[in-house]
PDB file of all heavy atoms in Angstrom:
ATOM      1  N   VAL A   5       9.201  69.421-290.844  1.00  0.00           N
ATOM      2  CA  VAL A   5       8.939  70.663-291.565  1.00  0.00           C
ATOM      3  C   VAL A   5       9.698  71.807-290.926  1.00  0.00           C
ATOM      4  O   VAL A   5      10.294  72.654-291.604  1.00  0.00           O
ATOM      5  CB  VAL A   5       7.425  70.960-291.563  1.00  0.00           C
ATOM      6  CG1 VAL A   5       7.144  72.344-292.199  1.00  0.00           C
ATOM      7  CG2 VAL A   5       6.665  69.905-292.343  1.00  0.00           C
ATOM      8  N   LEU A   6       9.694  71.849-289.591  1.00  0.00           N
ATOM      9  CA  LEU A   6      10.388  72.923-288.886  1.00  0.00           C
ATOM     10  C   LEU A   6      11.886  72.901-289.155  1.00  0.00           C
ATOM     11  O   LEU A   6      12.510  73.948-289.419  1.00  0.00           O
ATOM     12  CB  LEU A   6      10.123  72.772-287.377  1.00  0.00           C
ATOM     13  CG  LEU A   6      10.575  73.937-286.487  1.00  0.00           C
ATOM     14  CD1 LEU A   6       9.769  75.187-286.814  1.00  0.00           C
ATOM     15  CD2 LEU A   6      10.413  73.573-285.019  1.00  0.00           C
ATOM     16  N   THR A   7      12.481  71.688-289.098  1.00  0.00           N
ATOM     17  CA  THR A   7      13.919  71.569-289.372  1.00  0.00           C
ATOM     18  C   THR A   7      14.241  71.990-290.798  1.00  0.00           C
ATOM     19  O   THR A   7      15.213  72.767-291.037  1.00  0.00           O
ATOM     20  CB  THR A   7      14.367  70.110-289.164  1.00  0.00           C
ATOM     21  OG1 THR A   7      14.122  69.723-287.821  1.00  0.00           O
ATOM     22  CG2 THR A   7      15.862  69.956-289.457  1.00  0.00           C
ATOM     23  N   ASN A   8      13.505  71.482-291.761  1.00  0.00           N
ATOM     24  CA  ASN A   8      13.733  71.861-293.163  1.00  0.00           C
ATOM     25  C   ASN A   8      13.550  73.348-293.396  1.00  0.00           C
ATOM     26  O   ASN A   8      14.278  73.986-294.163  1.00  0.00           O
ATOM     27  CB  ASN A   8      12.755  71.095-294.091  1.00  0.00           C
ATOM     28  CG  ASN A   8      13.136  69.609-294.152  1.00  0.00           C
ATOM     29  OD1 ASN A   8      14.251  69.206-293.875  1.00  0.00           O
ATOM     30  ND2 ASN A   8      12.183  68.766-294.535  1.00  0.00           N
ATOM     31  N   THR A   9      12.527  73.931-292.739  1.00  0.00           N
ATOM     32  CA  THR A   9      12.272  75.341-292.877  1.00  0.00           C
ATOM     33  C   THR A   9      13.422  76.195-292.378  1.00  0.00           C
ATOM     34  O   THR A   9      13.899  77.116-293.046  1.00  0.00           O
ATOM     35  CB  THR A   9      10.982  75.752-292.124  1.00  0.00           C
ATOM     36  OG1 THR A   9       9.867  75.082-292.693  1.00  0.00           O
ATOM     37  CG2 THR A   9      10.750  77.247-292.226  1.00  0.00           C
ATOM     38  N   TYR A  10      13.935  75.850-291.193  1.00  0.00           N
ATOM     39  CA  TYR A  10      15.020  76.635-290.603  1.00  0.00           C
ATOM     40  C   TYR A  10      16.337  76.471-291.390  1.00  0.00           C
ATOM     41  O   TYR A  10      17.096  77.432-291.514  1.00  0.00           O
ATOM     42  CB  TYR A  10      15.216  76.277-289.146  1.00  0.00           C
ATOM     43  CG  TYR A  10      14.213  76.932-288.222  1.00  0.00           C
ATOM     44  CD1 TYR A  10      13.954  76.431-286.945  1.00  0.00           C
ATOM     45  CD2 TYR A  10      13.500  78.043-288.628  1.00  0.00           C
ATOM     46  CE1 TYR A  10      13.020  77.018-286.118  1.00  0.00           C
ATOM     47  CE2 TYR A  10      12.555  78.653-287.810  1.00  0.00           C
ATOM     48  CZ  TYR A  10      12.332  78.139-286.571  1.00  0.00           C
ATOM     49  OH  TYR A  10      11.408  78.732-285.742  1.00  0.00           O
ATOM     50  N   TRP A  11      16.570  75.282-291.901  1.00  0.00           N
ATOM     51  CA  TRP A  11      17.761  75.061-292.762  1.00  0.00           C
ATOM     52  C   TRP A  11      17.671  75.907-294.022  1.00  0.00           C
ATOM     53  O   TRP A  11      18.598  76.618-294.380  1.00  0.00           O
ATOM     54  CB  TRP A  11      17.921  73.609-293.093  1.00  0.00           C
ATOM     55  CG  TRP A  11      18.733  72.809-292.132  1.00  0.00           C
ATOM     56  CD1 TRP A  11      18.287  71.862-291.243  1.00  0.00           C
ATOM     57  CD2 TRP A  11      20.145  72.901-291.935  1.00  0.00           C
ATOM     58  NE1 TRP A  11      19.338  71.356-290.525  1.00  0.00           N
ATOM     59  CE2 TRP A  11      20.492  71.987-290.916  1.00  0.00           C
ATOM     60  CE3 TRP A  11      21.149  73.676-292.508  1.00  0.00           C
ATOM     61  CZ2 TRP A  11      21.787  71.815-290.450  1.00  0.00           C
ATOM     62  CZ3 TRP A  11      22.455  73.505-292.045  1.00  0.00           C
ATOM     63  CH2 TRP A  11      22.765  72.594-291.043  1.00  0.00           C
ATOM     64  N   LEU A  12      16.511  75.850-294.659  1.00  0.00           N
ATOM     65  CA  LEU A  12      16.331  76.597-295.913  1.00  0.00           C
ATOM     66  C   LEU A  12      16.323  78.100-295.660  1.00  0.00           C
ATOM     67  O   LEU A  12      16.889  78.895-296.423  1.00  0.00           O
ATOM     68  CB  LEU A  12      15.034  76.179-296.601  1.00  0.00           C
ATOM     69  CG  LEU A  12      14.733  76.809-297.961  1.00  0.00           C
ATOM     70  CD1 LEU A  12      15.889  76.512-298.944  1.00  0.00           C
ATOM     71  CD2 LEU A  12      13.428  76.286-298.547  1.00  0.00           C
ATOM     72  N   LEU A  13      15.690  78.515-294.550  1.00  0.00           N
ATOM     73  CA  LEU A  13      15.664  79.933-294.210  1.00  0.00           C
ATOM     74  C   LEU A  13      17.078  80.447-293.972  1.00  0.00           C
ATOM     75  O   LEU A  13      17.433  81.550-294.416  1.00  0.00           O
ATOM     76  CB  LEU A  13      14.789  80.138-292.984  1.00  0.00           C
ATOM     77  CG  LEU A  13      14.642  81.581-292.492  1.00  0.00           C
ATOM     78  CD1 LEU A  13      13.937  82.430-293.563  1.00  0.00           C
ATOM     79  CD2 LEU A  13      13.880  81.631-291.174  1.00  0.00           C
ATOM     80  N   GLY A  14      17.887  79.682-293.248  1.00  0.00           N
ATOM     81  CA  GLY A  14      19.243  80.095-292.987  1.00  0.00           C
ATOM     82  C   GLY A  14      20.055  80.235-294.283  1.00  0.00           C
ATOM     83  O   GLY A  14      20.802  81.230-294.452  1.00  0.00           O
ATOM     84  N   MET A  15      19.884  79.293-295.203  1.00  0.00           N
ATOM     85  CA  MET A  15      20.622  79.338-296.468  1.00  0.00           C
ATOM     86  C   MET A  15      20.143  80.507-297.336  1.00  0.00           C
ATOM     87  O   MET A  15      20.962  81.193-297.990  1.00  0.00           O
ATOM     88  CB  MET A  15      20.485  78.021-297.215  1.00  0.00           C
ATOM     89  CG  MET A  15      21.232  76.872-296.574  1.00  0.00           C
ATOM     90  SD  MET A  15      21.218  75.362-297.586  1.00  0.00           S
ATOM     91  CE  MET A  15      19.524  74.868-297.408  1.00  0.00           C
ATOM     92  N   THR A  16      18.827  80.760-297.353  1.00  0.00           N
ATOM     93  CA  THR A  16      18.330  81.824-298.194  1.00  0.00           C
ATOM     94  C   THR A  16      18.700  83.224-297.604  1.00  0.00           C
ATOM     95  O   THR A  16      18.954  84.159-298.341  1.00  0.00           O
ATOM     96  CB  THR A  16      16.790  81.770-298.345  1.00  0.00           C
ATOM     97  OG1 THR A  16      16.184  81.643-297.033  1.00  0.00           O
ATOM     98  CG2 THR A  16      16.407  80.546-299.159  1.00  0.00           C
ATOM     99  N   LEU A  17      18.755  83.310-296.283  1.00  0.00           N
ATOM    100  CA  LEU A  17      19.180  84.571-295.663  1.00  0.00           C
ATOM    101  C   LEU A  17      20.645  84.851-296.009  1.00  0.00           C
ATOM    102  O   LEU A  17      21.018  85.995-296.304  1.00  0.00           O
ATOM    103  CB  LEU A  17      18.972  84.527-294.153  1.00  0.00           C
ATOM    104  CG  LEU A  17      17.529  84.652-293.662  1.00  0.00           C
ATOM    105  CD1 LEU A  17      17.468  84.396-292.165  1.00  0.00           C
ATOM    106  CD2 LEU A  17      16.957  86.035-293.987  1.00  0.00           C
ATOM    107  N   ALA A  18      21.468  83.803-295.982  1.00  0.00           N
ATOM    108  CA  ALA A  18      22.868  83.969-296.313  1.00  0.00           C
ATOM    109  C   ALA A  18      23.035  84.366-297.796  1.00  0.00           C
ATOM    110  O   ALA A  18      23.810  85.243-298.150  1.00  0.00           O
ATOM    111  CB  ALA A  18      23.630  82.676-296.045  1.00  0.00           C
ATOM    112  N   PHE A  19      22.248  83.703-298.649  1.00  0.00           N
ATOM    113  CA  PHE A  19      22.279  83.999-300.087  1.00  0.00           C
ATOM    114  C   PHE A  19      21.803  85.415-300.360  1.00  0.00           C
ATOM    115  O   PHE A  19      22.379  86.141-301.184  1.00  0.00           O
ATOM    116  CB  PHE A  19      21.397  82.998-300.837  1.00  0.00           C
ATOM    117  CG  PHE A  19      21.480  83.139-302.336  1.00  0.00           C
ATOM    118  CD1 PHE A  19      22.616  82.891-303.047  1.00  0.00           C
ATOM    119  CD2 PHE A  19      20.348  83.570-303.042  1.00  0.00           C
ATOM    120  CE1 PHE A  19      22.692  83.017-304.424  1.00  0.00           C
ATOM    121  CE2 PHE A  19      20.374  83.712-304.439  1.00  0.00           C
ATOM    122  CZ  PHE A  19      21.559  83.442-305.115  1.00  0.00           C
ATOM    123  N   SER A  20      20.751  85.837-299.640  1.00  0.00           N
ATOM    124  CA  SER A  20      20.242  87.184-299.790  1.00  0.00           C
ATOM    125  C   SER A  20      21.286  88.203-299.318  1.00  0.00           C
ATOM    126  O   SER A  20      21.435  89.276-299.936  1.00  0.00           O
ATOM    127  CB  SER A  20      18.962  87.350-298.969  1.00  0.00           C
ATOM    128  OG  SER A  20      18.415  88.638-299.088  1.00  0.00           O
ATOM    129  N   GLY A  21      22.009  87.881-298.272  1.00  0.00           N
ATOM    130  CA  GLY A  21      23.069  88.775-297.792  1.00  0.00           C
ATOM    131  C   GLY A  21      24.190  88.921-298.824  1.00  0.00           C
ATOM    132  O   GLY A  21      24.707  90.030-299.017  1.00  0.00           O
ATOM    133  N   LEU A  22      24.542  87.827-299.466  1.00  0.00           N
ATOM    134  CA  LEU A  22      25.567  87.883-300.535  1.00  0.00           C
ATOM    135  C   LEU A  22      25.078  88.717-301.700  1.00  0.00           C
ATOM    136  O   LEU A  22      25.847  89.503-302.283  1.00  0.00           O
ATOM    137  CB  LEU A  22      25.906  86.457-301.031  1.00  0.00           C
ATOM    138  CG  LEU A  22      26.687  85.591-300.048  1.00  0.00           C
ATOM    139  CD1 LEU A  22      26.831  84.172-300.608  1.00  0.00           C
ATOM    140  CD2 LEU A  22      28.060  86.171-299.774  1.00  0.00           C
ATOM    141  N   ALA A  23      23.806  88.602-302.061  1.00  0.00           N
ATOM    142  CA  ALA A  23      23.225  89.386-303.130  1.00  0.00           C
ATOM    143  C   ALA A  23      23.246  90.856-302.785  1.00  0.00           C
ATOM    144  O   ALA A  23      23.537  91.708-303.642  1.00  0.00           O
ATOM    145  CB  ALA A  23      21.801  88.922-303.436  1.00  0.00           C
ATOM    146  N   ALA A  24      22.950  91.193-301.532  1.00  0.00           N
ATOM    147  CA  ALA A  24      22.962  92.569-301.067  1.00  0.00           C
ATOM    148  C   ALA A  24      24.400  93.135-301.141  1.00  0.00           C
ATOM    149  O   ALA A  24      24.605  94.267-301.567  1.00  0.00           O
ATOM    150  CB  ALA A  24      22.424  92.669-299.656  1.00  0.00           C
ATOM    151  N   PHE A  25      25.373  92.322-300.728  1.00  0.00           N
ATOM    152  CA  PHE A  25      26.766  92.744-300.799  1.00  0.00           C
ATOM    153  C   PHE A  25      27.201  92.967-302.233  1.00  0.00           C
ATOM    154  O   PHE A  25      27.920  93.952-302.521  1.00  0.00           O
ATOM    155  CB  PHE A  25      27.659  91.676-300.155  1.00  0.00           C
ATOM    156  CG  PHE A  25      29.112  92.011-300.180  1.00  0.00           C
ATOM    157  CD1 PHE A  25      29.630  92.936-299.299  1.00  0.00           C
ATOM    158  CD2 PHE A  25      29.987  91.412-301.072  1.00  0.00           C
ATOM    159  CE1 PHE A  25      30.999  93.286-299.304  1.00  0.00           C
ATOM    160  CE2 PHE A  25      31.318  91.725-301.113  1.00  0.00           C
ATOM    161  CZ  PHE A  25      31.841  92.652-300.236  1.00  0.00           C
ATOM    162  N   PHE A  26      26.739  92.097-303.140  1.00  0.00           N
ATOM    163  CA  PHE A  26      27.062  92.271-304.570  1.00  0.00           C
ATOM    164  C   PHE A  26      26.485  93.583-305.075  1.00  0.00           C
ATOM    165  O   PHE A  26      27.164  94.344-305.807  1.00  0.00           O
ATOM    166  CB  PHE A  26      26.500  91.098-305.373  1.00  0.00           C
ATOM    167  CG  PHE A  26      26.605  91.255-306.843  1.00  0.00           C
ATOM    168  CD1 PHE A  26      27.796  91.013-307.513  1.00  0.00           C
ATOM    169  CD2 PHE A  26      25.508  91.671-307.600  1.00  0.00           C
ATOM    170  CE1 PHE A  26      27.913  91.175-308.896  1.00  0.00           C
ATOM    171  CE2 PHE A  26      25.606  91.849-308.977  1.00  0.00           C
ATOM    172  CZ  PHE A  26      26.797  91.593-309.628  1.00  0.00           C
ATOM    173  N   ALA A  27      25.241  93.880-304.726  1.00  0.00           N
ATOM    174  CA  ALA A  27      24.613  95.113-305.179  1.00  0.00           C
ATOM    175  C   ALA A  27      25.343  96.345-304.627  1.00  0.00           C
ATOM    176  O   ALA A  27      25.502  97.343-305.331  1.00  0.00           O
ATOM    177  CB  ALA A  27      23.136  95.142-304.737  1.00  0.00           C
ATOM    178  N   MET A  28      25.793  96.253-303.390  1.00  0.00           N
ATOM    179  CA  MET A  28      26.535  97.358-302.789  1.00  0.00           C
ATOM    180  C   MET A  28      27.884  97.550-303.436  1.00  0.00           C
ATOM    181  O   MET A  28      28.342  98.678-303.687  1.00  0.00           O
ATOM    182  CB  MET A  28      26.719  97.091-301.277  1.00  0.00           C
ATOM    183  CG  MET A  28      25.420  97.132-300.483  1.00  0.00           C
ATOM    184  SD  MET A  28      25.607  96.415-298.813  1.00  0.00           S
ATOM    185  CE  MET A  28      26.841  97.508-298.119  1.00  0.00           C
ATOM    186  N   SER A  29      28.541  96.445-303.774  1.00  0.00           N
ATOM    187  CA  SER A  29      29.876  96.501-304.367  1.00  0.00           C
ATOM    188  C   SER A  29      29.848  97.053-305.777  1.00  0.00           C
ATOM    189  O   SER A  29      30.791  97.729-306.238  1.00  0.00           O
ATOM    190  CB  SER A  29      30.517  95.115-304.365  1.00  0.00           C
ATOM    191  OG  SER A  29      30.600  94.615-303.043  1.00  0.00           O
ATOM    192  N   THR A  30      28.803  96.722-306.512  1.00  0.00           N
ATOM    193  CA  THR A  30      28.702  97.149-307.925  1.00  0.00           C
ATOM    194  C   THR A  30      27.922  98.431-308.119  1.00  0.00           C
ATOM    195  O   THR A  30      27.838  98.943-309.233  1.00  0.00           O
ATOM    196  CB  THR A  30      28.029  96.023-308.747  1.00  0.00           C
ATOM    197  OG1 THR A  30      26.722  95.761-308.225  1.00  0.00           O
ATOM    198  CG2 THR A  30      28.865  94.758-308.714  1.00  0.00           C
ATOM    199  N   GLY A  31      27.342  98.935-307.048  1.00  0.00           N
ATOM    200  CA  GLY A  31      26.528 100.164-307.181  1.00  0.00           C
ATOM    201  C   GLY A  31      25.207  99.931-307.889  1.00  0.00           C
ATOM    202  O   GLY A  31      24.647 100.842-308.510  1.00  0.00           O
ATOM    203  N   LEU A  32      24.722  98.711-307.839  1.00  0.00           N
ATOM    204  CA  LEU A  32      23.478  98.366-308.534  1.00  0.00           C
ATOM    205  C   LEU A  32      22.312  99.100-307.929  1.00  0.00           C
ATOM    206  O   LEU A  32      22.184  99.225-306.680  1.00  0.00           O
ATOM    207  CB  LEU A  32      23.247  96.860-308.408  1.00  0.00           C
ATOM    208  CG  LEU A  32      21.982  96.307-309.089  1.00  0.00           C
ATOM    209  CD1 LEU A  32      22.128  96.383-310.612  1.00  0.00           C
ATOM    210  CD2 LEU A  32      21.785  94.853-308.660  1.00  0.00           C
ATOM    211  N   THR A  33      21.429  99.646-308.780  1.00  0.00           N
ATOM    212  CA  THR A  33      20.191 100.259-308.307  1.00  0.00           C
ATOM    213  C   THR A  33      19.020  99.513-308.912  1.00  0.00           C
ATOM    214  O   THR A  33      19.171  98.783-309.905  1.00  0.00           O
ATOM    215  CB  THR A  33      20.157 101.754-308.730  1.00  0.00           C
ATOM    216  OG1 THR A  33      20.244 101.842-310.162  1.00  0.00           O
ATOM    217  CG2 THR A  33      21.315 102.531-308.102  1.00  0.00           C
ATOM    218  N   MET A  34      17.830  99.734-308.333  1.00  0.00           N
ATOM    219  CA  MET A  34      16.663  99.044-308.799  1.00  0.00           C
ATOM    220  C   MET A  34      15.474  99.990-308.867  1.00  0.00           C
ATOM    221  O   MET A  34      15.136 100.612-307.860  1.00  0.00           O
ATOM    222  CB  MET A  34      16.339  97.853-307.892  1.00  0.00           C
ATOM    223  CG  MET A  34      15.225  96.976-308.389  1.00  0.00           C
ATOM    224  SD  MET A  34      14.995  95.490-307.336  1.00  0.00           S
ATOM    225  CE  MET A  34      16.564  94.629-307.573  1.00  0.00           C
ATOM    226  N   HIS A  35      14.851 100.062-310.014  1.00  0.00           N
ATOM    227  CA  HIS A  35      13.659 100.921-310.185  1.00  0.00           C
ATOM    228  C   HIS A  35      12.505 100.287-309.428  1.00  0.00           C
ATOM    229  O   HIS A  35      12.359  99.055-309.386  1.00  0.00           O
ATOM    230  CB  HIS A  35      13.321 101.032-311.673  1.00  0.00           C
ATOM    231  CG  HIS A  35      12.326 102.105-311.976  1.00  0.00           C
ATOM    232  ND1 HIS A  35      10.959 101.928-311.807  1.00  0.00           N
ATOM    233  CD2 HIS A  35      12.510 103.381-312.413  1.00  0.00           C
ATOM    234  CE1 HIS A  35      10.336 103.035-312.129  1.00  0.00           C
ATOM    235  NE2 HIS A  35      11.254 103.956-312.507  1.00  0.00           N
ATOM    236  N   PRO A  36      11.673 101.109-308.759  1.00  0.00           N
ATOM    237  CA  PRO A  36      10.538 100.571-308.012  1.00  0.00           C
ATOM    238  C   PRO A  36       9.627  99.646-308.783  1.00  0.00           C
ATOM    239  O   PRO A  36       9.125  98.646-308.245  1.00  0.00           O
ATOM    240  CB  PRO A  36       9.782 101.835-307.575  1.00  0.00           C
ATOM    241  CG  PRO A  36      10.834 102.887-307.523  1.00  0.00           C
ATOM    242  CD  PRO A  36      11.778 102.582-308.644  1.00  0.00           C
ATOM    243  N   ILE A  37       9.408  99.949-310.061  1.00  0.00           N
ATOM    244  CA  ILE A  37       8.536  99.081-310.880  1.00  0.00           C
ATOM    245  C   ILE A  37       9.189  97.712-311.058  1.00  0.00           C
ATOM    246  O   ILE A  37       8.512  96.663-311.015  1.00  0.00           O
ATOM    247  CB  ILE A  37       8.215  99.739-312.230  1.00  0.00           C
ATOM    248  CG1 ILE A  37       7.405 101.012-312.010  1.00  0.00           C
ATOM    249  CG2 ILE A  37       7.465  98.780-313.131  1.00  0.00           C
ATOM    250  CD1 ILE A  37       7.047 101.731-313.278  1.00  0.00           C
ATOM    251  N   ILE A  38      10.493  97.724-311.316  1.00  0.00           N
ATOM    252  CA  ILE A  38      11.224  96.439-311.498  1.00  0.00           C
ATOM    253  C   ILE A  38      11.132  95.645-310.192  1.00  0.00           C
ATOM    254  O   ILE A  38      10.938  94.411-310.217  1.00  0.00           O
ATOM    255  CB  ILE A  38      12.699  96.707-311.866  1.00  0.00           C
ATOM    256  CG1 ILE A  38      12.771  97.365-313.239  1.00  0.00           C
ATOM    257  CG2 ILE A  38      13.495  95.394-311.849  1.00  0.00           C
ATOM    258  CD1 ILE A  38      14.170  97.705-313.685  1.00  0.00           C
ATOM    259  N   PHE A  39      11.259  96.334-309.043  1.00  0.00           N
ATOM    260  CA  PHE A  39      11.200  95.629-307.768  1.00  0.00           C
ATOM    261  C   PHE A  39       9.817  95.008-307.574  1.00  0.00           C
ATOM    262  O   PHE A  39       9.705  93.835-307.190  1.00  0.00           O
ATOM    263  CB  PHE A  39      11.456  96.618-306.609  1.00  0.00           C
ATOM    264  CG  PHE A  39      11.137  96.039-305.276  1.00  0.00           C
ATOM    265  CD1 PHE A  39      11.987  95.101-304.704  1.00  0.00           C
ATOM    266  CD2 PHE A  39       9.978  96.394-304.601  1.00  0.00           C
ATOM    267  CE1 PHE A  39      11.696  94.559-303.447  1.00  0.00           C
ATOM    268  CE2 PHE A  39       9.690  95.866-303.364  1.00  0.00           C
ATOM    269  CZ  PHE A  39      10.541  94.926-302.779  1.00  0.00           C
ATOM    270  N   LEU A  40       8.745  95.765-307.823  1.00  0.00           N
ATOM    271  CA  LEU A  40       7.378  95.244-307.634  1.00  0.00           C
ATOM    272  C   LEU A  40       7.128  94.041-308.546  1.00  0.00           C
ATOM    273  O   LEU A  40       6.601  93.013-308.083  1.00  0.00           O
ATOM    274  CB  LEU A  40       6.366  96.332-307.864  1.00  0.00           C
ATOM    275  CG  LEU A  40       6.315  97.459-306.831  1.00  0.00           C
ATOM    276  CD1 LEU A  40       5.362  98.554-307.271  1.00  0.00           C
ATOM    277  CD2 LEU A  40       5.915  96.913-305.482  1.00  0.00           C
ATOM    278  N   VAL A  41       7.486  94.168-309.818  1.00  0.00           N
ATOM    279  CA  VAL A  41       7.235  93.088-310.764  1.00  0.00           C
ATOM    280  C   VAL A  41       8.064  91.860-310.395  1.00  0.00           C
ATOM    281  O   VAL A  41       7.579  90.716-310.385  1.00  0.00           O
ATOM    282  CB  VAL A  41       7.543  93.537-312.211  1.00  0.00           C
ATOM    283  CG1 VAL A  41       7.446  92.357-313.168  1.00  0.00           C
ATOM    284  CG2 VAL A  41       6.585  94.652-312.642  1.00  0.00           C
ATOM    285  N   GLY A  42       9.356  92.072-310.103  1.00  0.00           N
ATOM    286  CA  GLY A  42      10.227  90.969-309.775  1.00  0.00           C
ATOM    287  C   GLY A  42       9.852  90.275-308.464  1.00  0.00           C
ATOM    288  O   GLY A  42       9.793  89.063-308.400  1.00  0.00           O
TER     289      GLY A  42
END
């Protein structure tokens, strides 16, 4: 479980970083309500 968790956590952190970079590159903004619901 620990090995699978750390592998998945590493991949999701990398994916989240790419998503953050995409939002920064495109100037994407997010309304607080959309954030809470999503």
